[in-house]
mmCIF file of all heavy atoms in Angstrom:
data_model
loop_
_atom_site.group_PDB
_atom_site.id
_atom_site.type_symbol
_atom_site.label_atom_id
_atom_site.label_comp_id
_atom_site.label_asym_id
_atom_site.label_seq_id
_atom_site.Cartn_x
_atom_site.Cartn_y
_atom_site.Cartn_z
ATOM 1 N N LEU A 992 14.149 8.182 -74.654
ATOM 2 C CA LEU A 992 13.294 9.332 -74.548
ATOM 3 C C LEU A 992 14.116 10.637 -74.511
ATOM 4 O O LEU A 992 13.600 11.675 -74.856
ATOM 5 C CB LEU A 992 12.551 9.219 -73.222
ATOM 6 C CG LEU A 992 11.670 7.997 -73.005
ATOM 7 C CD1 LEU A 992 10.987 8.034 -71.644
ATOM 8 C CD2 LEU A 992 10.552 7.945 -74.127
ATOM 9 N N LEU A 993 15.347 10.537 -74.109
ATOM 10 C CA LEU A 993 16.110 11.769 -73.986
ATOM 11 C C LEU A 993 16.747 12.197 -75.224
ATOM 12 O O LEU A 993 16.896 11.351 -76.180
ATOM 13 C CB LEU A 993 17.276 11.538 -72.926
ATOM 14 C CG LEU A 993 16.798 11.437 -71.530
ATOM 15 C CD1 LEU A 993 17.884 10.950 -70.641
ATOM 16 C CD2 LEU A 993 16.288 12.795 -71.007
ATOM 17 N N LYS A 994 17.047 13.526 -75.333
ATOM 18 C CA LYS A 994 17.734 14.012 -76.595
ATOM 19 C C LYS A 994 19.113 13.494 -76.655
ATOM 20 O O LYS A 994 19.776 13.217 -75.668
ATOM 21 C CB LYS A 994 17.611 15.533 -76.512
ATOM 22 C CG LYS A 994 16.283 16.183 -76.742
ATOM 23 C CD LYS A 994 16.328 17.684 -76.751
ATOM 24 C CE LYS A 994 17.043 18.128 -78.014
ATOM 25 N NZ LYS A 994 16.987 19.637 -78.150
ATOM 26 N N GLN A 996 22.037 14.764 -76.902
ATOM 27 C CA GLN A 996 23.106 15.276 -76.098
ATOM 28 C C GLN A 996 22.890 15.067 -74.610
ATOM 29 O O GLN A 996 23.770 15.486 -73.721
ATOM 30 C CB GLN A 996 23.340 16.803 -76.361
ATOM 31 C CG GLN A 996 22.262 17.675 -75.920
ATOM 32 C CD GLN A 996 21.091 17.854 -76.981
ATOM 33 O OE1 GLN A 996 21.030 16.988 -77.845
ATOM 34 N NE2 GLN A 996 20.396 18.880 -76.923
ATOM 35 N N GLU A 997 21.735 14.523 -74.268
ATOM 36 C CA GLU A 997 21.450 14.337 -72.759
ATOM 37 C C GLU A 997 21.916 12.981 -72.312
ATOM 38 O O GLU A 997 21.971 12.010 -73.094
ATOM 39 C CB GLU A 997 19.909 14.495 -72.544
ATOM 40 C CG GLU A 997 19.382 15.812 -72.941
ATOM 41 C CD GLU A 997 18.529 16.492 -71.834
ATOM 42 O OE1 GLU A 997 17.425 16.104 -71.792
ATOM 43 O OE2 GLU A 997 19.064 17.351 -71.130
ATOM 44 N N VAL A 1016 20.014 13.442 -66.309
ATOM 45 C CA VAL A 1016 19.057 12.855 -65.419
ATOM 46 C C VAL A 1016 19.681 11.712 -64.588
ATOM 47 O O VAL A 1016 20.301 10.892 -65.247
ATOM 48 C CB VAL A 1016 17.805 12.330 -66.174
ATOM 49 C CG1 VAL A 1016 16.857 11.571 -65.222
ATOM 50 C CG2 VAL A 1016 17.058 13.384 -66.870
ATOM 51 N N PHE A 1027 15.193 11.603 -57.829
ATOM 52 C CA PHE A 1027 15.408 12.275 -59.152
ATOM 53 C C PHE A 1027 16.340 13.398 -59.079
ATOM 54 O O PHE A 1027 15.987 14.394 -58.404
ATOM 55 C CB PHE A 1027 14.063 12.576 -59.759
ATOM 56 C CG PHE A 1027 14.005 13.185 -61.053
ATOM 57 C CD1 PHE A 1027 13.751 12.454 -62.216
ATOM 58 C CD2 PHE A 1027 14.337 14.542 -61.184
ATOM 59 C CE1 PHE A 1027 13.789 13.022 -63.432
ATOM 60 C CE2 PHE A 1027 14.271 15.121 -62.451
ATOM 61 C CZ PHE A 1027 14.009 14.387 -63.588
ATOM 62 N N ARG A 1029 18.246 16.316 -61.324
ATOM 63 C CA ARG A 1029 18.479 16.941 -62.619
ATOM 64 C C ARG A 1029 19.728 17.617 -62.765
ATOM 65 O O ARG A 1029 20.170 18.366 -61.842
ATOM 66 C CB ARG A 1029 17.241 17.929 -62.833
ATOM 67 C CG ARG A 1029 17.318 18.727 -64.186
ATOM 68 C CD ARG A 1029 16.856 17.770 -65.262
ATOM 69 N NE ARG A 1029 16.672 18.601 -66.526
ATOM 70 C CZ ARG A 1029 17.074 18.291 -67.704
ATOM 71 N NH1 ARG A 1029 17.772 17.141 -67.919
ATOM 72 N NH2 ARG A 1029 16.793 18.914 -68.751
ATOM 73 N N ASN A 1030 20.522 17.309 -63.830
ATOM 74 C CA ASN A 1030 21.847 17.886 -64.076
ATOM 75 C C ASN A 1030 22.723 17.745 -62.882
ATOM 76 O O ASN A 1030 23.260 18.716 -62.303
ATOM 77 C CB ASN A 1030 21.681 19.373 -64.538
ATOM 78 C CG ASN A 1030 20.930 19.516 -65.792
ATOM 79 O OD1 ASN A 1030 21.196 18.658 -66.665
ATOM 80 N ND2 ASN A 1030 20.089 20.542 -65.911
ATOM 81 N N ALA A 1049 7.499 9.524 -66.208
ATOM 82 C CA ALA A 1049 6.743 10.658 -66.567
ATOM 83 C C ALA A 1049 7.642 11.928 -66.366
ATOM 84 O O ALA A 1049 7.583 12.891 -67.238
ATOM 85 C CB ALA A 1049 5.492 10.813 -65.644
ATOM 86 N N ALA A 1050 8.519 11.945 -65.352
ATOM 87 C CA ALA A 1050 9.404 13.078 -65.194
ATOM 88 C C ALA A 1050 10.359 13.244 -66.363
ATOM 89 O O ALA A 1050 10.628 14.331 -66.933
ATOM 90 C CB ALA A 1050 10.084 12.945 -63.925
ATOM 91 N N VAL A 1051 10.925 12.054 -66.868
ATOM 92 C CA VAL A 1051 11.820 12.124 -67.965
ATOM 93 C C VAL A 1051 11.071 12.537 -69.238
ATOM 94 O O VAL A 1051 11.614 13.293 -70.098
ATOM 95 C CB VAL A 1051 12.479 10.714 -68.206
ATOM 96 C CG1 VAL A 1051 13.259 10.742 -69.436
ATOM 97 C CG2 VAL A 1051 13.363 10.437 -67.008
ATOM 98 N N GLU A 1052 9.838 12.120 -69.415
ATOM 99 C CA GLU A 1052 9.014 12.479 -70.563
ATOM 100 C C GLU A 1052 8.759 13.982 -70.614
ATOM 101 O O GLU A 1052 8.822 14.592 -71.642
ATOM 102 C CB GLU A 1052 7.739 11.705 -70.610
ATOM 103 C CG GLU A 1052 7.861 10.297 -71.167
ATOM 104 C CD GLU A 1052 6.699 9.387 -70.920
ATOM 105 O OE1 GLU A 1052 5.707 9.778 -70.115
ATOM 106 O OE2 GLU A 1052 6.578 8.359 -71.604
ATOM 107 N N ARG A 1053 8.549 14.530 -69.415
ATOM 108 C CA ARG A 1053 8.313 16.003 -69.282
ATOM 109 C C ARG A 1053 9.567 16.738 -69.779
ATOM 110 O O ARG A 1053 9.487 17.743 -70.527
ATOM 111 C CB ARG A 1053 8.014 16.341 -67.812
ATOM 112 C CG ARG A 1053 6.521 16.386 -67.567
ATOM 113 C CD ARG A 1053 6.146 17.165 -66.260
ATOM 114 N NE ARG A 1053 6.817 16.725 -65.072
ATOM 115 C CZ ARG A 1053 6.498 15.642 -64.390
ATOM 116 N NH1 ARG A 1053 5.493 14.918 -64.789
ATOM 117 N NH2 ARG A 1053 7.172 15.264 -63.343
ATOM 118 N N ILE A 1054 10.724 16.256 -69.349
ATOM 119 C CA ILE A 1054 11.973 16.946 -69.776
ATOM 120 C C ILE A 1054 12.126 16.851 -71.196
ATOM 121 O O ILE A 1054 12.473 17.867 -71.878
ATOM 122 C CB ILE A 1054 13.207 16.210 -69.125
ATOM 123 C CG1 ILE A 1054 13.178 16.522 -67.659
ATOM 124 C CG2 ILE A 1054 14.522 16.646 -69.709
ATOM 125 C CD1 ILE A 1054 14.119 15.688 -66.785
ATOM 126 N N ALA A 1055 11.795 15.646 -71.842
ATOM 127 C CA ALA A 1055 11.889 15.511 -73.268
ATOM 128 C C ALA A 1055 10.934 16.541 -73.942
ATOM 129 O O ALA A 1055 11.290 17.095 -75.021
ATOM 130 C CB ALA A 1055 11.571 14.127 -73.655
ATOM 131 N N ALA A 1056 9.665 16.672 -73.400
ATOM 132 C CA ALA A 1056 8.712 17.468 -74.029
ATOM 133 C C ALA A 1056 9.119 18.910 -73.908
ATOM 134 O O ALA A 1056 9.013 19.824 -74.906
ATOM 135 C CB ALA A 1056 7.350 17.278 -73.340
ATOM 136 N N GLU A 1057 9.730 19.367 -72.752
ATOM 137 C CA GLU A 1057 10.207 20.747 -72.626
ATOM 138 C C GLU A 1057 11.315 21.012 -73.584
ATOM 139 O O GLU A 1057 11.365 22.114 -74.201
ATOM 140 C CB GLU A 1057 10.749 20.928 -71.173
ATOM 141 C CG GLU A 1057 9.627 21.108 -70.047
ATOM 142 C CD GLU A 1057 10.192 20.895 -68.683
ATOM 143 O OE1 GLU A 1057 11.398 20.998 -68.616
ATOM 144 O OE2 GLU A 1057 9.397 20.641 -67.792
ATOM 145 N N ASP A 1058 12.232 20.087 -73.777
ATOM 146 C CA ASP A 1058 13.344 20.315 -74.787
ATOM 147 C C ASP A 1058 12.764 20.438 -76.110
ATOM 148 O O ASP A 1058 13.287 21.267 -76.883
ATOM 149 C CB ASP A 1058 14.299 19.069 -74.695
ATOM 150 C CG ASP A 1058 15.171 19.075 -73.432
ATOM 151 O OD1 ASP A 1058 15.287 20.145 -72.819
ATOM 152 O OD2 ASP A 1058 15.703 18.089 -73.063
ATOM 153 N N LEU A 1059 11.759 19.689 -76.469
ATOM 154 C CA LEU A 1059 11.142 19.770 -77.764
ATOM 155 C C LEU A 1059 10.564 21.166 -78.024
ATOM 156 O O LEU A 1059 10.707 21.773 -79.039
ATOM 157 C CB LEU A 1059 10.125 18.656 -77.866
ATOM 158 C CG LEU A 1059 9.895 18.084 -79.189
ATOM 159 C CD1 LEU A 1059 11.277 17.352 -79.656
ATOM 160 C CD2 LEU A 1059 8.822 16.983 -79.162
ATOM 161 N N ALA A 1060 9.851 21.587 -76.907
ATOM 162 C CA ALA A 1060 9.131 22.957 -77.027
ATOM 163 C C ALA A 1060 10.168 24.055 -77.284
ATOM 164 O O ALA A 1060 9.850 25.068 -77.886
ATOM 165 C CB ALA A 1060 8.358 23.115 -75.739
ATOM 166 N N ARG A 1061 11.389 23.834 -76.684
ATOM 167 C CA ARG A 1061 12.444 24.925 -76.800
ATOM 168 C C ARG A 1061 13.013 24.992 -78.220
ATOM 169 O O ARG A 1061 13.632 25.948 -78.520
ATOM 170 C CB ARG A 1061 13.485 24.678 -75.760
ATOM 171 C CG ARG A 1061 13.540 25.762 -74.694
ATOM 172 C CD ARG A 1061 14.681 25.452 -73.725
ATOM 173 N NE ARG A 1061 14.112 24.898 -72.508
ATOM 174 C CZ ARG A 1061 14.587 23.798 -71.865
ATOM 175 N NH1 ARG A 1061 15.546 23.157 -72.408
ATOM 176 N NH2 ARG A 1061 14.013 23.428 -70.797
ATOM 177 N N VAL A 1062 12.867 23.897 -78.955
ATOM 178 C CA VAL A 1062 13.599 23.884 -80.270
ATOM 179 C C VAL A 1062 12.923 24.840 -81.212
ATOM 180 O O VAL A 1062 11.715 24.890 -81.328
ATOM 181 C CB VAL A 1062 13.570 22.423 -80.888
ATOM 182 C CG1 VAL A 1062 14.081 22.373 -82.297
ATOM 183 C CG2 VAL A 1062 14.322 21.534 -79.957
#
Side-chain angles (χ1 to χ4, degrees):
L992 302 178
L993 289 168
K994 288 183 68 174
Q996 69 273 21
E997 300 230 278
V1016 172
F1027 178 98
R1029 178 74 168 135
N1030 296 322
V1051 172
E1052 282 172 342
R1053 268 197 304 281
I1054 289 169
E1057 282 164 20
D1058 283 343
L1059 215 60
R1061 247 182 258 131
V1062 174

